Amino acid sequence: MEVKSIVLGVEGMTCNSCVQTIEQHVGRINGIHNIKVSLEDKNAVIIYDSKLQTPATLREAMYDMGFDATLADSNPQSVLLDTVFLTIPTQSSLTSKQICSALLKNKGVVDVKMSSDQRTAVVAFIPSVVNGKQVMQMVPGVDLSISAPEVTPGTCESSSWSQASSVVLRLKVEGMTCHSCTSTIEGKIGKLQGIQRIKVSLDNQEAAVVYQPHLITAEEIKHQIEAAGFTASFKKQPKPLKLSAIDLERLRNTQTKGSETVLKEMSSTNDTKTVVFRIDGMHCSSCVLNIQSTISALPSVTSIVVSLEKKSAIINYNPNLTSIEVLRRAVEAVSPETFKVSLPEEYNVALLPTLMSTLKSPLPALKDASQPLTQVVVINIEGMTCNSCVQSIEGVISQKAGVKSIHVSLTNHNGAIEYDPLQTCPEDLRSAIEDMGFDASLPAQPSPEVQLESHRTEPLSKVSPAHLVRQEAKTVSKCYVQVTGMTCASCVANIERNLRREDGIHSILVALMAGKAEVRYNPAVIHPSAIAELIRELGFGATVMENCGEGDGILELVVRGMTCASCVHKIESTLMKTNGVLYCSVALATNKAHIKYDPEIIGPRDVIQVVKDLGFTTSLVKKDRSASHLDHKQEIRQWKRSFVVSLVFCIPVMGLMIYMMVMDSQLSDAHTHHNMSSEEMEALHSSMVLEYQLLPGLSVMNFLSFLLCVPVQMFGGWHFYIQAYKAVKHKTANMDVLIVLATTIAFVYSLVVLLVAMAEKAKVNPVTFFDTPPMLFVFISLGRWLEHVAKGKTSEALARLISLQATEATIVTLGPDNVLLSEEQVDVELVQRGDIVKVIPGGKFPVDGRVIEGHSMVDESLITGEAMPVTKKPGNTVIAGSINQNGSLLISATHVGADTTLSQIVKLVEEAQTSKAPIQQFADKLSGYFVPCIVAVSVVTLFAWIIIGFVDFEIVEKYFLGYNKSISAAEVIIRFAFQASITVLCIACPCSLGLATPTAVMVGTGVGAQNGILIKGGEPLEMAHKVKVVVFDKTGTITHGTPEVTQVKFLVEGNQLPRNKMLAIVGTAESNSEHPLGTAITKYCKKELDAETLGTCTDFQVVPGCGISCKVTNIEGLLHRKNKMVEENNIKNVTLVKIEENMEESVQPALIIDAELPATRTSEKYSVLIGNREWMSRNGLVVKNEVDKAMMEHERRGRTAVLAAVDGVLCGLIAIADTVKPEAELAVCTLKSMGLEVVLMTGDNSKTARSIASQVGITKVFAEVLPSHKVAKVKQLQDEGKRVAMVGDGINDSPALAMANVGIAIGTGTDVAIEAADVVLIRDDLMDVVASIDLSRKTVKRIRINFVFALIYNLVGVPIAAGVFLPIGLVLQPWMGSAAMAASSVSVVLSSLLLKMYQKPSPEKLEFRARGQMRHKSPSEISVHIGIDETGTGSPKLSLMDRIINYSRASINSLFSDKRSVNSVVLSEPDKHSLLVGDFGDDDDTAL
């Protein structure tokens, strides 16, 4: 009988449910011994009996299940068998024949032969499927025992012996070129059963493999390496120990003893003895390791320490099981069999105490054969003072050859080093640390000895369970691993399942949204870096999170009833004694307790109970559920105050300025036209009211301006001064610096000039610039205030998100068989991992969990954005914040508190909002250069005029107005130069630059609001024109978001069941349904029948995933009313759809019914069934082929097809779909014509996504995308240097809306999305997306024009002010500077106001322009990507293939399926588990 193994490639698997289905189905076939299916590798390894099955029949079996199977290897491999000899007890109740047949029924047992005396059975079995121990227990009621057959020396490969030892195999591997090759071999071979450890060396081109020969052979290992594409050959044939038959017999018998007796024997120290051997012939650490790993595997040996220096081996053994002589021969037989072993002459146990400490040192690695290639040493290190020392030690030592990992603890003054004993030893490591200047010593470790002694002396049974738990807790550590590349819950299940199998891993919990795995492991067996490597081997990215805290729980409690310090002490001391509480502090004054605890050992409820048991009342400190840290309230307040202060003082200043400008211009006219002398002008000037001097040199005008300017400078400009100081401190010059510089210099100069004039008692009033600061501050602070108001709105999104969280949870206690013992309401913060939570219909799920009992539909639109509810049954996962609809569920909490999916979405939104860097305004960038330039020009002007003045005083005398002869020439020059330089600074005042942006933005946002586009501040308005990619969500954005009936097909003759009657019956039946599809059908029927109410529905029954059944009555009145209306309308035959051609001839005009209903007629009762194919077949109705084809056609187009049956007759097919918005296609086409890339991103399945995309003309689609992946995709596009606009409407879109450069929310969407977005479209019209980008482009264009105005004015004004054009008589009088400044500002404001004329692009024009371009895309033009990877699935080639893939995706349980089920999946929403879809198993997880 030949057993073969074959690998089949399997296509079409989508989740773990498919894997389970294949394994169960194929595993049941006769002749199949074992099957292992891998979702990642897309293959199945099958071990089968070649007489009963062939590769072709196995492929056929796969095809029958709806999967595509290919032969990966045309030659099946022979499987090596193992044999075991079983002794049949003489008093057995069964005959030898019955025992044979009982054994052969088991998987893995290939053949059973009986000895002639019928007392011994030789069983041939497949070692990878079963082992000898399991074979012994296969016949119930018969106690079979393994017997020892006659063994000739040298043939000791019997499985029972070989189980006891591992063999080291060295292979020469050729063809490796890089480290990727080594990791490929290590990954592939390391996964094989029976391989304990593998290390591949690229430099030596060899592989060292530790394996168990009873599970895998050396040939097989070599073959697997060659299968990976490398050439492998044995360096040295592996040799097992060669012992005599008697020794073998003794060692075998040790194994047949019950495990308990062995344990007892091993646990009592009285029975163990120690022997010291002298060993000659050891050359290196490899020999030491070889002896240690081989001898420690013997059951009679408790520990062994081999010393290369002392040429000795100290062996602790059980004399009841073996003797010194047997051990000596065992050591001599160790490969390469060249060791000479002898007992020292003065063999004296008195020497032993000195050796015991080394023997008993905790080196579990020796006893554990699974890790012979690395060892761990703990070195005591003194002299470390800070973390810098820790890092330098770790850095230097980790670089040493042979060091795998190092962890240095500053607090414990030690370092744990994992090293390869083949390459280094503890002494080398110790001296290396000493060379760095630290004191290092290897520990003597007396403490474990005491512990060992105490353990050995007390019998195992007396150890308390609590003590054992503590012992285990000490050996269990916890680490967190950041995992990337997970797309759905099946990835989570895959990681959890594979890692649980690994040695040393106690438990693992993976959070999908957080991308984090929490692993509890035994540090003696495995390390965090190895755990991360295991995850990477599964195809995910993994890094160990160093500073993730230890996951300590923190609890804030209010404790009532404390009276004095002794109460405080009582609580603190009791809590600190409680196992699992790490820290506790109680404050009597505030009645608060702060407690840190380990959530693995104790939970918040337990802590509260401890305090309550002490006689105090206690409750949780209520957490602030709002996002107050992001609301910008303080900034809004300060800028508002700044604006109001500036405005109050600015209005009178502006009034005075305008008055003076008018008067000055009149005077200059008078001077030119009436030939007034300068003296007359001076007299007239000083006679003006505002020029009246209160004191000599101090006019009313200047005095009032000064009084109005001081408060603005102090209070209005306060924040500008702070910001400017910060900017200068960081060596940058921004808008604030320029504003502060201009206002301060204008104010200080004006004040100094005024004081000088007063000191000189000048007759002519000096020109001051007191009007500059108030005007500047008003405009700037208004802009800042509005900007912060818009920003503040975003935090409301978080407050809304947080409010979705349930506040309380019902925790239940279950007895045996899930009997409900008690239930209590607790605060959601008190729910612990592992709690059983009950969720009633209509309730919110308080935490993430797994269903353990109950069936229900759950609304998960919160996360997936899809309107269809999802079926939940035991084993499915549920999300916090989603709403339970119709059944009560019991769930086991898996993620609580900050780990729930909802908390992660809150965190995503928060991070996206806080990390979004504000776009540096163009003005800021400009002022970065502008400020230093203007200051430089001003300084140059000052010195230039001082030099010119001293060289040629006449120029200054000629042009310096109000020159007083009484002043010295030098002073005149200085004052003239200073005035010129100040004029430069003031005329270059950035007022117009500052206004260029805010005014245009204010007008732009106002115009947007009038057009139904709310833009939050200038940032998004300015950003939108730079957008290169527009990403659309599907549900509710491109589509309406609610299902609608798109087509009704009648399957019976009109005279059997008139159209209206059928609509009335179906509408009435669905009126009791809460399912969106039912609601859509009722709505459609009411609209068609033009009726507000329908008939009566009784005996209503819902079967989630299938359909409904009920009885319908009282529809006659409704039909009678309708008929009358129809007659009046000349029997308008309104048929919604074209009926199949071959049926059309036989269909009568739809409404031929009797005009009057006899009054005496009693109401008929109709029995109605509505649902999917499976529902119909369950109820004994046959679905014809043409109906099936029609349904499949609808499903291919992404619709949901429902069948309706009345009184046992199929009478209608209703197609329902989430329809595309009418303007969507035009919007997409217009955006493309504007040069933008358009992408569709949805959580829905690829089928529906492709269908919708083809209707609107989008060619790039990302389907089945999680909320966190939407963020990642947006980030990915941004990293490519593209600016992204995201258009969405759901909570699941909010993180992406916040992350995008411009988030655009549909006004009919959720509050959270609206708050997270930068732009909100009030109308539910996608053409407004086009309008918002268009408006942004126009606004930015306007801002640029404004900058041109402002810059031209500065470029012309500054040289004139600096006096460059003095020689040609062009002098800038100070009043002209003010006028020019005002003119510049006014021109900028007027330019911005021109935006008010903006008109939205009209759909008619756009339609006319896009007429030739708009067309539906063919499926081959659309690339659909699953998740966020860039490799698309390509175009669909075969509809049959699509059906198979979708069938496998749904993986409907084969129990319910008939041949037709291949098509029964509703392709529009397969992962939405509508009522019309079969039981979807694990695919619920995929929907997550």
Side-chain angles (χ1 to χ4, degrees):
M1 177 174 292
E2 185 151 24
V3 179
K4 302 248 172 153
S5 162
I6 189 145
V7 181
L8 291 179
V10 184
E11 289 297 328
M13 297 188 291
T14 56
C15 65
N16 284 324
S17 166
C18 306
V19 172
Q20 286 165 10
T21 309
I22 296 171
E23 285 182 351
Q24 284 166 10
H25 190 79
V26 177
R28 284 200 290 265
I29 298 172
N30 192 21
I32 302 292
H33 288 291
N34 188 33
I35 172 167
K36 190 83 198 81
V37 181
S38 165
L39 181 63
E40 297 77 42
D41 304 335
K42 292 190 177 169
N43 68 13
V45 182
I46 305 173
I47 298 174
Y48 65 96
D49 185 340
S50 57
K51 286 191 181 163
L52 297 173
Q53 297 291 342
T54 64
T57 59
L58 296 174
R59 270 179 63 190
E60 198 58 45
M62 292 279 191
Y63 275 129
D64 290 346
M65 292 179 67
F67 297 98
D68 200 0
T70 52
L71 281 176
D73 187 0
S74 52
N75 299 328
Q77 301 295 319
S78 292
V79 174
L80 291 167
L81 303 180
D82 223 329
T83 52
V84 65
F85 297 82
L86 298 179
T87 307
I88 299 166
T90 45
Q91 68 279 19
S92 164
S93 55
L94 299 176
T95 66
S96 54
K97 250 191 189 152
Q98 288 170 320
I99 290 172
C100 274
S101 59
L103 285 167
L104 283 167
K105 275 182 194 154
N106 291 288
K107 294 274 180 200
V109 175
V110 178
D111 191 22
V112 182
K113 286 192 171 69
M114 278 292 177
S115 63
S116 52
D117 60 355
Q118 304 291 304
R119 286 282 138 256
T120 308
V122 184
V123 184
F125 61 92
I126 302 165
S128 58
V129 181
V130 289
N131 59 31
K133 228 177 226 163
Q134 287 168 321
V135 173
M136 280 164 62
Q137 294 153 6
M138 278 177 180
V139 186
V142 180
D143 186 19
L144 300 169
S145 60
I146 296 181
S147 63
E150 295 300 314
V151 181
T152 55
T155 59
C156 56
E157 293 249 50
S158 160
S159 74
S160 56
W161 161 239
S162 60
Q163 267 171 335
S165 69
S166 303
V167 176
V168 179
L169 169 68
R170 293 194 181 277
L171 294 143
K172 178 92 180 143
V173 183
E174 288 165 9
M176 297 189 290
T177 54
C178 62
H179 285 291
S180 158
C181 303
T182 61
S183 52
T184 304
I185 297 171
E186 284 177 350
K188 191 176 166 79
I189 306 301
K191 282 183 194 162
L192 299 173
Q193 195 170 3
I195 300 290
Q196 292 178 322
R197 198 70 199 240
I198 173 164
K199 190 84 189 92
V200 181
S201 164
L202 181 64
D203 304 331
N204 305 340
Q205 294 275 310
E206 68 166 31
V209 187
V210 180
Y211 72 104
Q212 292 170 304
H214 63 285
L215 294 178
I216 190 165
T217 64
E219 275 299 329
E220 215 168 320
I221 296 169
K222 177 174 170 255
H223 173 72
Q224 290 290 350
I225 294 174
E226 285 172 344
F230 304 94
T231 314
S233 57
F234 296 118
K235 279 191 116 172
K236 201 187 286 177
Q237 281 290 345
K239 288 185 186 173
L241 300 181
K242 286 188 182 173
L243 301 182
S244 67
I246 303 149
D247 298 337
L248 258 178
E249 181 65 30
R250 268 182 94 166
L251 286 167
R252 266 213 197 84
N253 291 345
T254 64
Q255 282 201 309
T256 61
K257 293 189 182 181
S259 56
E260 290 129 14
T261 56
V262 173
L263 262 175
K264 274 187 199 145
E265 282 162 5
M266 290 177 84
S267 65
S268 60
T269 42
N270 306 346
D271 293 349
T272 61
K273 285 192 177 175
T274 306
V275 64
V276 181
F277 285 127
R278 176 178 172 81
I279 305 177
D280 292 304
M282 295 190 292
H283 306 297
C284 61
S285 303
S286 171
C287 302
V288 172
L289 190 70
N290 229 344
I291 296 170
Q292 282 180 166
S293 60
T294 308
I295 302 301
S296 65
L298 299 176
S300 52
V301 175
T302 47
S303 62
I304 172 169
V305 174
V306 179
S307 166
L308 181 63
E309 294 83 17
K310 297 175 185 164
K311 297 187 176 177
S312 68
I314 308 158
I315 303 175
N316 210 8
Y317 69 100
N318 188 334
N320 299 337
L321 301 178
T322 190
S323 67
I324 292 174
E325 185 54 29
V326 171
L327 289 172
R328 190 184 68 75
R329 295 223 300 280
V331 176
E332 284 188 337
V334 172
S335 169
E337 300 173 39
T338 55
F339 303 122
K340 297 277 177 287
V341 182
S342 59
L343 285 165
E345 277 116 44
E346 66 291 343
Y347 177 57
N348 188 358
V349 186
L351 298 171
L352 290 176
T354 54
L355 299 161
M356 282 303 283
S357 59
T358 43
L359 176 65
K360 287 176 180 170
S361 67
L363 273 174
L366 301 183
K367 194 80 193 80
D368 175 15
S370 67
Q371 278 211 333
L373 292 183
T374 62
Q375 290 180 3
V376 179
V377 65
V378 178
I379 298 177
N380 296 328
I381 306 169
E382 293 300 329
M384 297 187 291
T385 54
C386 62
N387 276 326
S388 162
C389 304
V390 172
Q391 284 166 3
S392 64
I393 294 173
E394 287 182 345
V396 173
I397 302 300
S398 64
Q399 298 300 316
K400 279 189 73 67
V403 174
K404 298 276 181 268
S405 69
I406 173 167
H407 179 73
V408 178
S409 167
L410 182 62
T411 46
N412 303 338
H413 298 288
N414 66 13
I417 306 173
E418 184 190 1
Y419 66 97
D420 185 344
L422 301 174
Q423 292 177 287
T424 186
C425 70
E427 187 50 43
D428 290 352
L429 298 171
R430 187 194 65 74
S431 58
I433 294 172
E434 283 205 326
D435 293 345
M436 292 179 69
F438 299 98
D439 292 331
S441 60
L442 290 165
Q445 287 167 328
S447 53
E449 178 183 345
V450 181
Q451 204 177 324
L452 270 166
E453 291 302 325
S454 64
H455 269 233
R456 293 268 169 88
T457 49
E458 59 180 299
L460 212 63
S461 57
K462 285 187 186 160
V463 181
S464 69
H467 181 68
L468 283 173
V469 168
R470 257 199 304 281
Q471 277 303 105
E472 191 222 6
K474 275 180 193 164
T475 61
V476 173
S477 297
K478 187 160 66 172
C479 71
Y480 292 88
V481 182
Q482 188 78 50
V483 185
T484 54
M486 296 189 291
T487 55
C488 64
S490 83
C491 302
V492 171
N494 181 16
I495 295 172
E496 287 182 351
R497 190 180 62 247
N498 280 291
L499 259 70
R500 278 199 194 104
R501 293 185 191 143
E502 296 295 333
D503 287 340
I505 291 181
H506 290 267
S507 69
I508 173 167
L509 189 73
V510 181
L512 177 64
M513 287 292 291
K516 194 167 80 175
E518 178 188 309
V519 187
R520 298 180 70 216
Y521 65 98
N522 183 347
V525 180
I526 195 164
H527 290 277
S529 51
I531 294 169
E533 186 54 45
L534 287 169
I535 296 173
R536 280 196 285 274
E537 279 177 12
L538 293 171
F540 302 96
T543 49
V544 179
M545 296 164 77
E546 296 298 341
N547 309 324
C548 194
E550 280 308 300
D552 295 338
I554 292 177
L555 196 58
E556 295 274 357
L557 297 178
V558 177
V559 184
R560 304 253 175 242
M562 296 188 293
T563 52
C564 60
S566 79
C567 300
V568 171
H569 176 69
K570 188 172 157 192
I571 295 171
E572 284 185 351
S573 60
T574 311
L575 280 173
M576 286 307 285
K577 281 181 203 156
T578 310
N579 186 24
V581 175
L582 309 171
Y583 166 80
C584 169
S585 156
V586 181
L588 181 63
T590 56
N591 283 341
K592 279 191 181 168
H594 181 83
I595 299 148
K596 254 189 186 175
Y597 62 93
D598 182 353
E600 297 291 335
I601 302 172
I602 195 168
R605 287 205 309 285
D606 308 330
V607 175
I608 288 176
Q609 195 54 50
V610 171
V611 180
K612 280 185 177 164
D613 292 345
L614 292 172
F616 302 97
T617 55
T618 177
S619 60
L620 269 180
V621 174
K622 286 288 171 209
K623 285 213 182 102
D624 174 24
R625 287 175 177 267
S626 68
S628 53
H629 58 293
L630 281 174
D631 59 4
H632 295 270
K633 276 197 180 121
Q634 197 187 339
E635 290 97 329
I636 291 171
R637 236 189 349 264
Q638 75 182 29
W639 286 115
K640 185 180 178 181
R641 196 168 56 231
S642 176
F643 168 65
V644 170
V645 168
S646 306
L647 185 68
V648 166
F649 294 101
C650 172
I651 292 169
V653 167
M654 283 177 78
L656 292 174
M657 190 180 92
I658 291 164
Y659 172 74
M660 284 310 292
M661 274 170 60
V662 172
M663 296 310 291
D664 272 358
S665 63
Q666 284 180 0
L667 273 178
S668 61
D669 282 356
H671 181 57
T672 47
H673 294 298
H674 303 289
N675 299 326
M676 269 187 176
S677 67
S678 296
E679 288 75 17
E680 286 172 319
M681 280 245 337
E682 217 166 278
L684 185 62
H685 198 273
S686 53
S687 68
M688 285 160 61
V689 180
L690 289 177
E691 290 293 334
Y692 174 71
Q693 293 198 338
L694 299 168
L695 293 170
L698 178 65
S699 66
V700 176
M701 168 78 182
N702 281 341
F703 181 63
L704 284 176
S705 298
F706 171 73
L707 286 182
L708 291 168
C709 187
V710 171
V712 175
Q713 199 70 27
M714 294 301 161
F715 305 110
W718 178 247
H719 304 298
F720 290 101
Y721 278 98
I722 291 171
Q723 297 296 333
Y725 168 69
K726 285 179 183 168
V728 171
K729 199 164 114 189
H730 291 108
K731 298 189 176 69
T732 60
N734 60 4
M735 200 69 181
D736 294 320
V737 174
L738 193 53
I739 291 161
V740 164
L741 203 65
T743 52
T744 310
I745 291 178
F747 180 75
V748 172
Y749 165 74
S750 305
L751 189 61
V752 170
V753 166
L754 205 56
L755 292 172
V756 169
M758 285 166 71
E760 289 179 354
K761 300 193 164 116
K763 293 202 171 67
V764 175
N765 295 315
V767 173
T768 57
F769 294 96
F770 285 124
D771 52 353
T772 304
M775 280 176 66
L776 211 53
F777 285 142
V778 164
F779 286 117
I780 306 292
S781 54
L782 174 64
R784 298 277 166 94
W785 175 38
L786 293 174
E787 187 183 328
H788 282 287
V789 167
K791 279 184 183 168
K793 287 278 182 233
T794 57
S795 67
E796 289 175 26
L798 290 178
R800 290 256 167 70
L801 263 178
I802 294 167
S803 70
L804 291 167
Q805 179 82 42
T807 52
E808 286 198 323
T810 308
I811 290 185
V812 298
T813 319
L814 297 180
D817 301 329
N818 284 3
V819 178
L820 215 67
L821 299 180
S822 67
E823 58 178 70
E824 62 165 328
Q825 286 278 341
V826 301
D827 199 296
V828 77
E829 271 106 12
L830 293 179
V831 179
Q832 294 160 206
R833 192 185 286 171
D835 279 343
I836 306 297
V837 181
K838 179 180 170 189
V839 186
I840 55 170
K844 279 182 186 169
F845 288 95
V847 291
D848 289 4
R850 194 167 264 113
V851 179
I852 55 172
E853 197 175 282
H855 278 70
S856 182
M857 304 293 287
V858 174
D859 175 9
E860 286 185 350
S861 54
L862 158 78
I863 305 298
T864 59
E866 302 305 326
M868 301 291 185
V870 181
T871 308
K872 294 291 175 191
K873 54 179 188 288
N876 294 152
T877 49
V878 291
I879 309 167
S882 54
I883 297 159
N884 186 16
Q885 290 194 339
N886 50 12
S888 193
L889 292 177
L890 288 183
I891 67 163
S892 167
T894 54
H895 296 96
V896 296
D899 294 333
T900 62
T901 309
L902 184 62
S903 304
Q904 293 299 327
I905 289 190
V906 171
K907 196 165 144 216
L908 278 170
V909 174
E910 220 169 56
E911 283 171 359
Q913 287 189 347
T914 48
S915 67
K916 192 174 188 181
I919 305 132
Q920 266 293 309
Q921 301 232 312
F922 180 53
D924 269 7
K925 226 189 260 172
L926 201 67
S927 57
Y929 306 110
F930 187 70
V931 177
C933 288
I934 292 299
V935 173
V937 169
S938 169
V939 171
V940 167
T941 306
L942 178 71
F943 286 110
W945 278 113
I946 290 174
I947 293 162
I948 291 168
F950 281 112
V951 172
D952 188 354
F953 182 64
E954 280 177 18
I955 296 177
V956 175
E957 198 177 13
K958 186 178 174 189
Y959 292 110
F960 185 38
L961 288 179
Y963 161 56
N964 195 325
K965 301 281 190 293
S966 62
I967 308 171
S968 71
E971 199 175 331
V972 170
I973 292 166
I974 300 291
R975 269 175 75 175
F976 181 72
F978 199 72
Q979 185 180 317
S981 72
I982 278 295
T983 311
V984 167
L985 264 184
C986 286
I987 197 164
C989 151
C991 196
S992 50
L993 275 179
L995 286 172
T997 309
T999 52
V1001 166
M1002 279 160 70
V1003 176
T1005 47
V1007 168
Q1010 286 168 5
N1011 284 296
I1013 304 163
L1014 290 185
I1015 301 167
K1016 300 180 185 175
E1019 194 183 303
L1021 185 67
E1022 206 181 19
M1023 197 67 217
H1025 84 285
K1026 299 179 184 172
V1027 165
K1028 288 283 168 276
V1029 182
V1030 182
V1031 179
F1032 281 99
D1033 173 47
K1034 180 183 76 74
T1035 313
T1037 306
I1038 292 279
T1039 65
H1040 286 104
T1042 50
E1044 290 177 12
V1045 174
T1046 53
Q1047 193 178 22
V1048 178
K1049 180 175 171 128
F1050 298 95
L1051 308 175
V1052 292
E1053 302 288 335
N1055 52 12
Q1056 281 179 24
L1057 182 70
R1059 174 180 180 278
N1060 280 0
K1061 191 173 183 180
M1062 187 194 116
L1063 290 178
I1065 293 170
V1066 171
T1068 305
E1070 286 285 16
S1071 61
N1072 276 20
S1073 170
E1074 290 175 0
H1075 196 283
L1077 297 180
T1079 316
I1081 292 172
T1082 305
K1083 187 176 163 192
Y1084 171 77
C1085 294
K1086 281 181 178 173
K1087 185 176 140 202
E1088 284 297 302
L1089 297 169
D1090 199 12
E1092 281 306 308
T1093 54
L1094 298 166
T1096 313
C1097 173
T1098 52
D1099 299 345
F1100 185 79
Q1101 195 188 355
V1102 178
V1103 177
C1106 284
I1108 63 157
S1109 71
C1110 63
K1111 302 279 189 289
V1112 170
T1113 51
N1114 298 338
I1115 60 160
E1116 282 73 16
L1118 177 72
L1119 291 171
H1120 185 58
R1121 215 170 42 245
K1122 179 74 180 164
N1123 287 348
K1124 266 194 152 172
M1125 283 166 58
V1126 169
E1127 272 189 354
E1128 285 162 17
N1129 291 331
N1130 299 325
I1131 309 173
K1132 276 186 191 166
N1133 187 357
V1134 184
T1135 316
L1136 177 74
V1137 294
K1138 188 182 82 157
I1139 292 164
E1140 285 284 292
E1141 266 60 1
N1142 56 1
M1143 293 173 80
E1144 227 168 45
E1145 296 149 19
S1146 60
V1147 171
Q1148 306 293 318
L1151 301 173
I1152 304 176
I1153 16 182
D1154 299 327
E1156 288 295 325
L1157 276 167
T1160 53
R1161 190 168 178 184
T1162 53
S1163 176
E1164 266 187 69
K1165 191 182 252 191
Y1166 302 96
S1167 164
V1168 185
L1169 295 169
I1170 303 174
N1172 58 11
R1173 298 176 181 80
E1174 189 188 334
W1175 187 231
M1176 294 302 155
S1177 57
R1178 268 200 213 179
N1179 288 283
L1181 296 175
V1182 180
V1183 181
K1184 290 180 188 166
N1185 270 351
E1186 57 265 29
V1187 177
D1188 202 27
K1189 276 183 189 157
M1191 285 180 83
M1192 278 161 54
E1193 181 52 35
H1194 284 305
E1195 285 158 4
R1196 194 181 63 73
R1197 292 187 184 173
R1199 299 175 189 160
T1200 302
V1202 189
L1203 294 167
V1206 179
D1207 292 334
V1209 179
L1210 267 184
C1211 59
L1213 188 160
I1214 303 164
I1216 305 164
D1218 183 4
T1219 52
V1220 172
K1221 290 178 183 172
E1223 76 280 4
E1225 191 181 359
L1226 177 62
V1228 169
C1229 183
T1230 310
L1231 287 170
K1232 284 184 170 177
S1233 67
M1234 288 163 82
L1236 304 176
E1237 184 186 342
V1238 184
V1239 175
L1240 180 67
M1241 190 147 50
T1242 174
D1244 206 342
N1245 65 75
S1246 53
K1247 204 80 193 198
T1248 313
R1250 190 190 294 277
S1251 164
I1252 298 292
S1254 72
Q1255 290 175 53
V1256 295
I1258 296 176
T1259 51
K1260 195 170 191 180
V1261 180
F1262 292 90
E1264 296 167 39
V1265 182
L1266 290 169
S1268 55
H1269 290 153
K1270 287 189 179 176
V1271 177
K1273 185 68 215 172
V1274 169
K1275 187 89 188 64
Q1276 197 177 314
L1277 288 166
Q1278 286 170 335
D1279 292 344
E1280 289 169 17
K1282 296 171 180 171
R1283 300 284 163 84
V1284 181
M1286 170 80 196
V1287 188
D1289 73 318
I1291 290 170
N1292 60 319
D1293 302 323
S1294 53
L1297 288 169
M1299 173 57 77
N1301 301 88
V1302 181
I1304 303 175
I1306 305 290
T1308 53
T1310 56
D1311 298 350
V1312 179
I1314 289 170
E1315 300 300 351
D1318 306 303
V1319 178
V1320 180
L1321 310 179
I1322 299 172
R1323 289 188 281 273
D1324 186 7
D1325 184 355
L1326 288 180
M1327 288 311 294
D1328 285 352
V1329 174
V1330 177
S1332 58
I1333 293 174
D1334 186 53
L1335 174 63
S1336 163
R1337 289 181 175 183
K1338 295 272 196 308
T1339 307
V1340 171
K1341 190 173 167 189
R1342 187 55 55 193
I1343 291 172
R1344 285 176 181 159
I1345 291 170
N1346 291 352
F1347 276 125
V1348 169
F1349 273 123
L1351 284 173
I1352 286 177
Y1353 147 79
N1354 271 317
L1355 291 172
V1356 172
V1358 170
I1360 297 176
V1364 174
F1365 301 111
L1366 259 184
I1368 58 165
L1370 190 55
V1371 185
L1372 197 63
Q1373 302 293 354
W1375 69 267
M1376 291 180 194
S1378 318
M1381 195 172 86
S1384 144
S1385 303
V1386 169
S1387 66
V1388 164
V1389 173
L1390 287 174
S1391 159
S1392 295
L1393 286 172
L1394 287 174
L1395 261 180
K1396 278 209 171 290
M1397 297 161 72
Y1398 172 79
Q1399 292 282 311
K1400 211 160 65 163
S1402 73
E1404 292 77 23
K1405 270 187 196 164
L1406 293 173
E1407 232 165 60
F1408 180 75
R1409 218 178 294 163
R1411 194 179 291 160
Q1413 300 159 19
M1414 273 165 55
R1415 64 181 180 83
H1416 285 204
K1417 300 286 178 193
S1418 70
S1420 58
E1421 290 176 84
I1422 299 167
S1423 72
V1424 178
H1425 309 263
I1426 304 292
I1428 58 164
D1429 63 330
E1430 282 293 339
T1431 52
T1433 58
S1435 56
K1437 303 242 179 350
L1438 288 168
S1439 59
L1440 173 70
M1441 192 59 216
D1442 288 342
R1443 295 202 319 259
I1444 292 171
I1445 288 170
N1446 278 279
Y1447 165 63
S1448 70
R1449 175 191 196 89
S1451 67
I1452 294 173
N1453 199 319
S1454 54
L1455 182 70
F1456 298 125
S1457 64
D1458 57 0
K1459 206 70 185 160
R1460 213 166 275 96
S1461 298
V1462 178
N1463 316 320
S1464 72
V1465 182
V1466 180
L1467 300 182
S1468 69
E1469 302 281 352
D1471 43 4
K1472 297 300 161 283
H1473 316 267
S1474 58
L1475 280 177
L1476 312 165
V1477 182
D1479 256 348
F1480 273 32
D1482 277 6
D1483 219 36
D1484 300 25
D1485 301 348
T1486 318
L1488 272 181

